[in-house]
Amino acid sequence: MTKINMTTPLVEMDGDEMTRILWKWIKDELILPFVDLKTEYYDLGLEERDKTSDQVTMDSALATKKYGVAVKCATITPNAQRMTEYNLHEMWKSPNGTIRAVLDGTVFRTPIMIKSIKPVVKNWEKPITIARHAYGDVYKNTEFRIPGEGKAELIFTGKDGQVMRETIYDFECPGVLQGLYNKDSSIKSFARSCFEYALSEKKDLWFSTKDTISKKYDHTFKDIFQEMYDAEYKTKFEEAGITYFYTLIDDAVARVIRSKGDFIWACKNYDGDVMSDMVSTAFGSLAMMTSVLVSPDGNYEYEAAHGTVTRHYYKYLEGEETSTNPMATIFAWSGALRKRGELDGLNDLVDFADKLEAACIRTLDDGIMTKDLVGLVEPGYKAAAVTSMTFIKAIRERLEASLQ
Ligand code: NAP
Ligand code: MG
């Protein structure tokens, strides 16, 4: 069989532990036999990050800016325990945080749905994608525990000397106080990533805040989205047959629960944190949640939403065959290959990505799956737990058949 051609390399970011093992198996069984794979390889495994003083992470992020599409394996974010385990020189920052900061991107998370696993919310027929604004608000707060009586004020001193000052509260007893901020530039990047991703996926975009209560802070988010939409995206959305829809967060929550799915829900930082956990739990399993970081200037980094599955890795090291679910990591590869194909006008590559995903779904529909999914399957459907490698080989069989 002649292999499918690529013209521009993918930025390949290898990672840690069990997902690093799966990474190699996925490449060897599902990609390399069929695609003349071109990648620029960056090893983001913790040892290499430590050896290069984390320069490798920065380099991989810059390469993503250069080429436009990356695929990333899950990586360890070091904590105190990892410092000793890996004998690290420093507690390196989260690679995802570093990459996100370089790309100024927004993370979109979408569940992979299959027939035999029904969402807890019965009327959800299609996936709901959550976009979280990952900057500022409560995550960059300044907060005080107020000891007792006294006046709390909000003060802004402009560079030109202009002062804005208002009393927040005259405390008559102990309490709490918090200062939050965000920046127009960050909100604009968020809005642009959301509009671009909605166009790229041809899905409706919803956005919600608490603008009725927060008349300046949240209202600014609403206004920035609306102004950008009217000025730059209205026509493009109409041509693509999709809509932009703003509503109060309370109303959004009610509509989301009653919806059939099939849209992107953009959320402020805290809302996105909480709602993505709710939505992913309601759809089934973290192992079936895909994630893509999209920058406002149209760079894409695909990955699984889960971590390195440490518990399974330790079993693997003891020689045990594990049943770790590779679905989200495979979909990171198919997502990245499809996007590369679209950007480079390579229909065969796009077609391969579609067929790879279809082969995965067919395998699950045939009842061959990893252990984590078996317990979630509805009565009346076939489901047998196999090891990761057996599962990947079953996908390969189906993929080969569909490529004949
Ligand atoms: P995790 O790796 O997502 O795993 C948590 C648990 O969820 C697992 O122990 C497993 O449950 C289940 N699980 C997750 N993915 C699975 C899969 N593909 N197949 C089967 N089961 C799966 O989270 P963690 O244990 O909190 O974190 C481990 C490491 O990952 C940490 O060092 C963290 O820094 C890193 N991490 C990286 C990323 C990233 O790179 N994007 C994200 C999150 C965490 P059972 O044990 O019950 O089988
Ligand atoms: Mg959370």
Side-chain angles (χ1 to χ4, degrees):
M1 197 197 291
T2 52
K3 291 193 188 180
I4 293 154
N5 189 36
M6 284 181 71
T7 47
T8 317
L10 276 182
V11 177
E12 176 184 354
M13 304 170 177
D14 208 342
D16 288 301
E17 300 194 311
M18 201 59 219
T19 41
R20 188 181 179 98
I21 307 296
L22 294 176
W23 193 259
K24 183 165 186 328
W25 292 351
I26 291 166
K27 276 176 71 179
D28 287 349
E29 295 291 329
L30 301 178
I31 315 279
L32 291 171
F34 312 104
V35 179
D36 187 17
L37 185 67
K38 286 191 176 61
T39 72
E40 195 164 291
Y41 179 85
Y42 293 88
D43 185 358
L44 301 198
L46 189 48
E47 280 159 12
E48 188 64 18
R49 277 183 275 149
D50 194 50
K51 211 190 287 171
T52 63
S53 299
D54 211 23
Q55 187 60 41
V56 65
T57 307
M58 186 52 82
D59 291 346
S60 73
L62 294 173
T64 307
K65 257 182 130 82
K66 175 175 168 196
Y67 292 112
V69 187
V71 56
K72 180 180 171 291
C73 179
T75 46
I76 292 168
T77 298
N79 54 18
Q81 182 255 320
R82 300 293 196 174
M83 293 289 290
T84 22
E85 184 183 355
Y86 284 82
N87 195 18
L88 299 178
H89 295 102
E90 224 177 278
M91 203 185 284
W92 307 109
K93 287 198 202 133
S94 147
N96 290 60
T98 304
I99 296 164
R100 201 166 55 216
V102 170
L103 295 181
D104 187 20
T106 295
V107 173
F108 296 82
R109 284 182 160 201
T110 310
I112 303 162
M113 292 180 75
I114 56 171
K115 273 189 260 159
S116 57
I117 299 177
K118 303 270 185 258
V120 174
V121 181
K122 284 192 222 75
N123 41 284
W124 288 356
E125 291 167 9
K126 296 264 182 74
I128 294 167
T129 300
I130 298 251
R132 172 180 172 192
H133 181 219
Y135 182 81
D137 300 353
V138 72
Y139 303 85
K140 292 265 186 195
N141 68 356
T142 307
E143 53 180 20
F144 294 156
R145 179 84 182 96
I146 299 295
E149 236 176 283
K151 184 157 84 165
E153 290 177 286
L154 194 60
I155 303 169
F156 169 78
T157 313
K159 219 174 166 194
D160 59 1
Q162 178 215 16
V163 175
M164 293 157 80
R165 180 178 209 139
E166 209 173 313
T167 301
I168 297 172
Y169 191 65
D170 264 315
F171 281 92
E172 74 288 351
C173 66
V176 283
L177 182 66
Q178 181 178 57
L180 306 181
Y181 76 93
N182 221 302
K183 303 192 294 187
D184 283 12
S185 56
S186 176
I187 302 166
K188 281 179 188 162
S189 289
F190 174 50
R192 191 171 298 288
S193 296
C194 289
F195 290 129
E196 289 293 326
Y197 191 64
L199 280 172
S200 133
E201 293 295 299
K202 301 226 173 0
K203 283 192 186 180
D204 292 343
L205 176 65
W206 297 18
F207 182 44
S208 55
T209 74
K210 192 73 178 172
D211 65 291
T212 50
I213 297 296
S214 172
K215 292 191 170 63
K216 296 237 166 65
Y217 199 112
D218 278 23
H219 215 289
T220 297
F221 280 77
K222 178 185 177 180
D223 290 344
I224 286 176
F225 266 71
Q226 194 63 49
E227 281 156 22
M228 190 180 286
Y229 178 70
D230 291 340
E232 298 178 57
Y233 288 100
K234 195 166 187 293
T235 322
K236 289 181 187 166
F237 268 50
E238 283 165 4
E239 278 165 13
I242 56 174
T243 55
Y244 168 62
F245 171 62
Y246 176 85
T247 188
L248 188 67
I249 179 115
D250 315 43
D251 180 50
V253 167
R255 284 174 187 261
V256 164
I257 295 296
R258 280 194 243 103
S259 76
K260 290 186 182 337
D262 202 24
F263 54 89
I264 299 162
W265 183 14
C267 294
K268 286 181 62 202
N269 209 348
Y270 174 82
D271 299 341
D273 183 353
V274 177
M275 291 305 158
S276 71
D277 285 343
M278 186 197 72
V279 168
S280 67
T281 307
F283 270 108
S285 160
L286 186 59
M288 296 286 273
M289 190 59 79
T290 65
S291 177
V292 55
L293 175 74
V294 180
S295 79
D297 49 349
N299 299 308
Y300 295 77
E301 180 248 304
Y302 292 84
E303 62 178 315
H306 60 77
T308 59
V309 211
T310 311
R311 202 182 64 84
H312 295 211
Y313 182 59
Y314 291 155
K315 287 191 168 174
Y316 168 85
L317 289 180
E318 285 166 16
E320 207 176 298
E321 283 207 71
T322 70
S323 184
T324 317
N325 191 338
M327 281 290 288
T329 306
I330 298 172
F331 273 58
W333 274 97
S334 57
L337 290 171
R338 181 185 294 109
K339 181 53 75 182
R340 198 63 273 166
E342 285 169 7
L343 293 175
D344 295 345
L346 303 171
N347 293 335
D348 287 354
L349 196 58
V350 174
D351 183 57
F352 172 77
D354 292 344
K355 285 183 169 151
L356 173 55
E357 290 180 1
C360 291
I361 301 292
R362 219 171 306 128
T363 308
L364 293 170
D365 286 348
D366 289 341
I368 303 167
M369 53 187 69
T370 45
K371 219 193 239 165
D372 55 304
L373 297 182
V374 171
L376 300 171
V377 167
E378 298 281 315
Y381 289 91
K382 284 186 286 183
V386 297
T387 63
S388 301
M389 190 44 121
T390 307
F391 180 62
I392 289 172
K393 295 239 191 229
I395 296 168
R396 178 170 177 171
E397 257 174 48
R398 287 158 183 78
L399 177 61
E400 273 171 353
S402 75
L403 288 169
Q404 290 300 313

